[in-house]
């Protein structure tokens, strides 16, 4: 592609993600299978307008997410499979959150925020911060939690890979701070059978018991869900996992979270921070884009290893090492107690 074409392609990126979003939102990917199906039958099944449905399916076909066959029929492609509800690595939740109305709306404040230096898009749009929004808006909360488990479907594999070979023998109790529905912790408990675990979360996440993953993965005897606020007090444990937590918060807020863990934990405690790590200027990386999303969604940011070392140190921890998966976009930073 020419340089002009590449720039043009970026300009129209939103069209693609919105077309995909609408396909997911309307249930297209759960209606179409490998057997070619007429667009009008899809429309009838989903209660949609047939002519406009055909045009939507054609656009999805043009992006490789469906296959357009003769006579207005469509079948599923291997790429489109990832958008099905029942796919083990489903990206449905991620799509519904990241291209849904709230996250679409908050991006419009980006120019003003960068001008003013005030990172408060959610407040500008809704009058409150993101985790108040999950608390107040049931539908958004459901989509948010679904998206976190959806992200985890792939991120858990990266974290397990990064931690393969890590010495878990002295970790009898692992606490996952802001552990969502327990996707990562339950998978760690499956792999390390000597360990028990605690998912420490907001009540809005844990109250819907049918969605919690420990019972589904057969580790409910060793996994408890504890409601609380990481800015007040956290449970005592040998080690603490935090996946996609610190990137939600400013340096000051991260130091408070890490200090609370420091206060509650024994001398031998470890912290394991799973995040997108920002590489040097010569390397293009997804973290540099995710960072702009964090600018819109919360008070946080994506950080370099050096920036993580600094906040660890300010909260009484020392940076030990960064563990990288063989492939994948997130790494795990280990910290141990400084004093
Ligand atoms: C970006 S999500 C990450 C969830 C999970 N660790 C994952 O990677 O899928 C951040 C999580 O932090 C939780 N959280 C936010 N504020 C919290 C607080 N004050 N105390 C405990 N958990 C909190 C949210 O409910 C949410 O599940």
């Amino acid at each position: 592609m020419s340089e002009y074409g590449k720039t043009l392609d970026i300009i129209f990126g939103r069209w693609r993600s919105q077309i995909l979003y609408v396909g997911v939102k309307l249930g297209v990917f759960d209606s179409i299978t490998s057997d070619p199906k007429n667009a009008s039958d899809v429309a009838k099944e989903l209660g949609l307008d047939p002519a406009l449905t055909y045009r939507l399916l054609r656009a999805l076909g043009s992006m490789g997410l469906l296959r357009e066959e003769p006579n207005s029929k469509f079948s599923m492609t291997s790429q489109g499979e990832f958008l099905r509800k029942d796919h083990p690595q489903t990206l449905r939740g991620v799509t519904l959150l990241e291209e849904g109305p709230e996250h679409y709306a908050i991006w419009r404040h980006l120019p003003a925020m960068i001008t003013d230096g005030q990172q408060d898009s959610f407040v500008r749009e809704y009058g409150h911060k993101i985790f108040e929004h999950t608390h107040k808006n049931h539908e958004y909360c459901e989509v948010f939690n679904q998206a976190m488990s959806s992200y985890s479907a792939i991120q858990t594999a990266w974290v397990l890979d990064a931690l393969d070979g890590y010495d878990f023998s002295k970790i009898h109790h692992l606490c996952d701070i802001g552990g969502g529905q327990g996707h990562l912790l339950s998978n760690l408990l499956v792999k390390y059978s000597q360990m028990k675990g605690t998912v420490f979360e907001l009540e809005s996440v844990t109250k819907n018991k049918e969605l919690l993953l420990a019972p589904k993965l057969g580790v409910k005897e060793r996994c408890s869900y504890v409601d609380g606020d990481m800015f007040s007090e956290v449970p005592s444990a040998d080690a603490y996992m935090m996946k996609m937590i610190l990137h939600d918060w400013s340096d000051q807020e991260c130091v408070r979270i890490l200090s609370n863990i420091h206060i509650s934990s024994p001398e031998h405690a470890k912290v394991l921070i799973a995040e997108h790590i920002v590489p040097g200027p010569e390397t293009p990386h997804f973290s540099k884009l995710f960072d702009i999303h964090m600018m819109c969604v919360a008070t946080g940011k994506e950080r370099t290893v050096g920036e993580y070392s600094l906040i660890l140190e300010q909260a009484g921890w020392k940076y030990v090492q960064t563990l990288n998966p063989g492939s994948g976009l997130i790494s795990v930073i280990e910290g141990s107690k400084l004093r």
Side-chain angles (χ1 to χ4, degrees):
M1 199 188 291
S2 67
E3 298 302 300
Y4 178 84
K6 281 191 220 163
T7 307
L8 208 56
D9 203 47
I10 296 172
I11 295 175
F12 296 117
R14 180 178 58 85
W15 289 10
R16 267 197 288 280
S17 44
Q18 277 295 301
I19 293 166
L20 183 156
Y21 167 76
V22 175
V24 170
K25 175 81 181 164
L26 296 178
V28 162
F29 295 97
D30 298 303
S31 161
I32 293 177
T33 63
S34 51
D35 277 342
K37 195 169 184 178
N38 204 288
S40 56
D41 291 336
V42 176
K44 196 165 170 197
E45 184 187 314
L46 301 175
L48 309 173
D49 176 83
L52 299 191
T53 300
Y54 168 71
R55 288 163 60 190
L56 172 68
L57 301 186
R58 182 176 62 184
L60 290 166
S62 177
M63 297 196 297
L65 296 166
L66 295 176
R67 186 176 303 106
E68 183 169 5
E69 318 255 357
N71 304 319
S72 308
K73 289 188 171 178
F74 291 86
S75 59
M76 183 56 76
T77 62
S78 48
Q79 228 184 306
E81 290 281 352
F82 289 107
L83 300 165
R84 294 182 62 83
K85 251 186 204 152
D86 56 4
H87 193 283
Q89 289 177 304
T90 180
L91 290 168
R92 185 175 180 276
V94 173
T95 309
L96 290 177
L97 181 71
E98 305 304 8
E99 280 304 299
E102 284 89 354
H103 287 202
Y104 188 96
I106 55 173
W107 274 76
R108 75 192 177 94
H109 300 292
L110 190 55
M113 285 197 306
I114 294 179
T115 307
D116 304 350
Q118 296 291 330
Q119 194 178 322
D120 56 358
S121 205
F122 237 92
V123 179
R124 288 178 201 232
E125 185 66 26
Y126 295 105
H128 50 239
K129 292 182 178 181
I130 181 168
F131 293 118
E132 281 167 66
H133 203 66
T134 52
H135 187 64
K136 287 183 171 148
N137 184 316
H138 177 67
E139 199 184 332
Y140 176 73
C141 185
E142 268 195 6
V143 170
F144 184 91
N145 293 333
Q146 238 183 69
M148 291 310 119
S149 290
S150 179
Y151 270 121
S152 285
I154 183 71
Q155 291 176 344
T156 290
W158 294 337
V159 172
L160 288 178
D161 186 16
L163 290 173
D164 197 41
Y166 184 77
D167 183 11
F168 276 94
S169 64
K170 294 189 185 74
I171 302 178
H172 305 293
H173 181 198
L174 177 66
C175 179
D176 193 352
I177 302 285
Q181 293 166 339
H183 193 282
L184 173 59
L185 185 62
S186 300
N187 277 282
L188 282 163
L189 294 180
V190 168
K191 185 163 176 186
Y192 302 101
S193 56
Q194 88 291 354
M195 236 168 33
K196 69 170 186 157
T198 300
V199 174
F200 184 70
E201 254 297 350
L202 297 177
E203 199 245 341
S204 57
V205 177
T206 56
K207 71 177 176 202
N208 201 342
K209 305 285 178 233
E210 307 91 78
L211 297 175
L212 303 183
L213 290 157
K216 293 184 182 149
L217 287 168
V219 292
K220 82 168 192 290
E221 308 307 331
R222 288 185 288 126
C223 184
S224 38
Y225 287 82
V226 172
D227 298 338
D229 175 6
M230 62 195 173
F231 289 100
S232 303
E233 197 183 354
V234 303
S236 174
D238 301 309
Y240 296 82
M241 176 60 74
M242 276 166 279
K243 176 166 82 63
M244 311 282 279
I245 298 300
L246 297 184
H247 81 156
D248 287 341
W249 304 98
S250 68
D251 288 355
Q252 259 184 332
E253 289 164 324
C254 288
V255 171
R256 266 183 68 196
I257 298 166
L258 289 165
S259 300
N260 282 345
I261 298 176
H262 196 279
I263 291 166
S264 295
S265 58
E267 274 318 295
H268 63 266
K270 307 276 186 208
V271 285
L272 297 166
I273 300 166
E275 293 283 1
H276 295 100
I277 306 293
V278 178
E282 70 290 352
T283 312
H285 197 268
F286 183 59
S287 58
K288 297 177 184 180
L289 308 187
F290 213 123
D291 180 56
I292 305 300
H293 175 57
M294 296 324 293
M295 194 187 288
C296 293
V297 90
T299 49
K301 61 179 179 180
E302 302 299 344
R303 297 176 171 87
T304 62
V305 167
E307 288 169 331
Y308 276 112
S309 306
L310 215 60
I311 53 174
L312 278 168
E313 214 166 286
Q314 286 168 12
W317 299 91
K318 71 168 179 278
Y319 168 80
V320 178
Q321 59 177 330
T322 304
L323 300 152
N324 297 306
S327 68
L329 292 172
I330 60 176
S331 304
V332 180
I333 289 184
E334 182 193 17
S336 65
K337 279 196 162 175
L338 192 63
R339 51 179 186 269

